[in-house]
């Protein structure tokens, strides 16, 4: 199973929309091994937060609030015990 598929399955198991996760991965052109994905999404999350203070940005037609929630969820995965077993050793470099 690919790392992307593993993340989408994990999202589904946690009640997170796999389609939103897939849209985010496509938008940031995530590496197939999801290399350092939480750090990449922290940058996207920052941009989404700043846009909330002014004119909202919408990327790929996504709801910025939903994207912020999903980015936060993906970033939080770095703290899960043994996440590297599921998403690979390069998911989070810390």
């Amino acid at each position: 199973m690919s790392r992307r598929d593993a993340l989408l399955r994990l999202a589904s198991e946690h009640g997170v929309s796999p389609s939103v996760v897939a849209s985010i991965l496509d938008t940031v052109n995530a590496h197939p091994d999801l290399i350092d994905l939480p750090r990449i999404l922290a940058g996207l999350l920052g941009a989404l937060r700043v846009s909330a203070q002014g004119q909202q940005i919408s990327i790929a037609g996504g709801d910025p609030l939903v994207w912020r929630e999903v980015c936060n969820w993906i970033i939080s995965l770095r703290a899960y015990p043994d996440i590297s077993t599921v998403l690979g050793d390069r998911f989070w470099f810390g």
Side-chain angles (χ1 to χ4, degrees):
M1 174 182 304
S2 73
R3 302 293 184 204
R4 178 188 179 103
D5 289 343
L7 180 58
L8 296 176
R9 187 186 78 233
L10 194 61
S12 181
E13 291 171 357
H14 284 91
V16 175
S17 169
S19 65
V20 173
V21 173
S23 291
I24 291 171
L25 294 176
D26 291 342
T27 297
V28 300
N29 195 27
H31 188 277
D33 288 332
L34 307 179
I35 296 172
D36 218 10
L37 186 61
R39 189 180 318 274
I40 293 166
L41 295 187
L44 175 59
L45 184 58
L48 291 169
R49 284 182 180 147
V50 167
S51 80
Q53 297 173 6
Q55 174 137 356
Q56 288 278 339
I57 59 172
S58 177
I59 303 170
D63 179 337
L65 179 59
V66 172
W67 275 43
R68 288 195 321 256
E69 291 171 359
V70 173
C71 284
N72 276 320
W73 175 77
I74 295 171
I75 292 166
S76 77
L77 292 176
R78 66 185 184 204
Y80 277 47
D82 300 322
I83 195 64
S84 62
T85 303
V86 178
L87 299 179
D89 293 338
R90 302 190 303 172
F91 173 72
W92 171 242
F93 285 129

